[in-house]
Amino acid sequence: MPRHEVTVEVLGPWSLDTGKRFWEGFTPAALATQDQPHQLRTVFRAEDDWTRAEVHVTQQGGAARIVVLGDGDLDQAAAQARRFLSLDVDARGWPEVARRDPVIADAQHRLPGLRPCGFHSPYEAAAWAVLSQRVRIAQAARVRDDLVRRHGEDGTFPAPRLLRTLDLDLPGRKTEYLHAVAEAALDGHLDGVTLRSLDPGEAVRTVREVKGLGPFAAELVVLRGANAPDMVPQHERRLDDEIGHRYGPGHTLAEVSEAWRPFRTWAAVHLRTLREERTHEISGHRAAQSARAPVLVEKRNSTVTGRVSRSSA
């Protein structure tokens, strides 16, 4: 299989081990079990042609060694890996946020070198947004895992061309919306490079043009799919609650987040991660969910059970 290797300087704080632990607990697209302690491995759909790519990342001091395998444009695949790992962000100013805000200083201390990661692309984030509408996160994760097992390729999410053809037995209009997400990806409306190049507000408006993606979903796609580093979520209730817990009554997200610029997304992810560690409000439901009736996924062969990931951030 063709192989491409590149070593890139990572500007600002970064810990591969911290990022790896974070991603392993990210329920919507949890990192698969790893067999190398100081290496991150994942498989994903390369956005240029939706072929399967595999990436191995190791940390060498302040640099990342990225090895990509696949049949597509591996240089573009390596750039995509840098984006979904937030290694393409110049974070030399991130410690300055801690000096302005003691709450974020504590978060940085407790999560040293964390850079937001999780969804491989806006396409996968959009598909997750549809699957997770009006159901528990753990239940949606089981459906996603089953889609990967049945229709993915060696661990990847189904490619858009296949997803738009699947006849899935899902509640409401979710199948219709998944087809719309697949069409949007094929038409270039969920391209990570393009969305990152836009003002975050404009990027959200672009994503909202996709059928089935409302305000919360569109923000998720931009924040965690395109991995925009500086955007304030406007529809994240758990983050609003955490602001009250960390900063005290009367403080609002709009107020405190001014000190987080230009890393508002990063600060928000840190606070959401610490909230989950404290409350287990998502992961605490997993055992009960896995014991319930199986999820119906396909009309022609419907009853399945799947792995449930640990938490969401």
Side-chain angles (χ1 to χ4, degrees), residues 13 16 30 34 142 147 180 191 254 292 310:
L16 177 69
Q34 306 282 288
R142 286 164 51 206
L147 282 173
D191 178 70
R292 295 180 181 179
R310 288 181 292 179

Side-chain angles (χ1 to χ4, degrees), residues 3-303:
R3 179 181 185 275
H4 172 69
E5 179 178 335
V6 61
T7 298
V8 297
E9 181 183 7
V10 181
L11 300 176
W14 172 53
S15 167
L16 177 69
D17 290 341
T18 300
K20 183 177 174 182
R21 288 193 299 272
F22 167 81
W23 200 352
E24 288 171 344
F26 182 65
T27 295
L31 190 67
T33 302
Q34 306 282 288
D35 54 8
Q36 297 294 327
H38 300 295
Q39 173 181 280
L40 186 151
R41 173 193 174 275
T42 189
V43 294
F44 61 98
R45 292 287 177 186
E47 288 183 295
D48 61 321
D49 59 4
W50 304 110
T51 57
R52 180 186 185 276
E54 178 178 330
V55 64
H56 300 253
V57 183
T58 53
Q59 185 168 0
Q60 300 176 339
R65 177 174 174 265
I66 302 172
V67 178
V68 185
L69 299 89
D71 295 320
D73 185 333
L74 298 186
D75 188 61
Q76 290 296 319
Q80 183 177 339
R82 290 180 63 205
R83 187 181 74 238
F84 66 65
L85 291 170
S86 292
L87 300 181
D88 59 342
V89 176
D90 183 345
R92 287 174 291 185
W94 177 228
E96 181 62 30
V97 177
R99 286 188 279 272
R100 295 194 295 265
D101 186 330
V103 172
I104 299 304
D106 177 65
Q108 290 187 17
H109 174 73
R110 295 169 63 182
L111 300 167
L114 175 64
R115 290 179 175 232
C117 54
F119 291 109
H120 296 121
S121 65
Y123 161 61
E124 290 195 28
W128 168 259
V130 171
L131 292 173
S132 60
Q133 290 173 1
R134 297 182 178 85
V135 299
R136 293 186 183 275
I137 290 176
Q139 184 181 6
R142 286 164 51 206
V143 176
R144 180 191 180 278
D145 289 346
D146 190 70
L147 282 173
V148 169
R149 182 177 63 83
R150 287 172 174 256
H151 302 292
E153 181 183 356
D154 295 330
T156 62
F157 194 75
R161 286 184 181 84
L162 176 60
L163 183 64
R164 68 179 177 179
T165 69
L166 296 180
D167 186 15
L168 304 173
D169 189 12
L170 296 173
R173 302 174 67 184
K174 289 189 179 186
T175 298
E176 176 189 355
Y177 294 159
L178 285 176
H179 291 171
V181 165
E183 292 286 356
L186 292 172
D187 291 341
H189 299 312
L190 294 174
D191 178 70
V193 174
T194 301
L195 292 176
R196 273 287 290 275
S197 70
L198 300 174
D199 171 82
E202 184 180 354
V204 168
R205 289 190 291 273
T206 297
V207 174
R208 287 202 62 184
E209 295 176 1
V210 180
K211 183 188 295 185
L213 300 184
F216 178 86
E219 284 190 353
L220 176 73
V221 170
V222 176
L223 285 166
R224 307 306 306 281
N227 242 3
D230 186 39
M231 178 179 168
V232 177
Q234 301 297 323
H235 304 278
E236 176 51 81
R237 177 186 56 79
R238 290 188 178 96
L239 178 59
D240 290 334
D241 291 346
E242 192 63 11
I243 295 299
H245 174 78
R246 297 278 175 184
Y247 291 85
H251 289 84
T252 66
L253 175 59
E255 171 198 344
V256 302
S257 63
E258 284 301 308
W260 302 349
R261 295 177 183 270
F263 299 99
R264 288 176 294 175
T265 303
W266 286 31
V269 169
H270 277 63
L271 294 184
R272 284 287 288 109
T273 301
L274 293 179
R275 179 180 178 84
E276 176 60 23
E277 289 183 356
R278 177 172 57 84
T279 66
H280 305 287
E281 60 192 345
I282 296 171
S283 59
H285 295 294
R286 292 178 65 239
Q289 284 294 325
S290 61
R292 295 180 181 179
V295 179
L296 300 180
V297 176
E298 282 191 274
K299 291 182 179 178
R300 61 180 179 274
N301 187 13
S302 59
T303 306

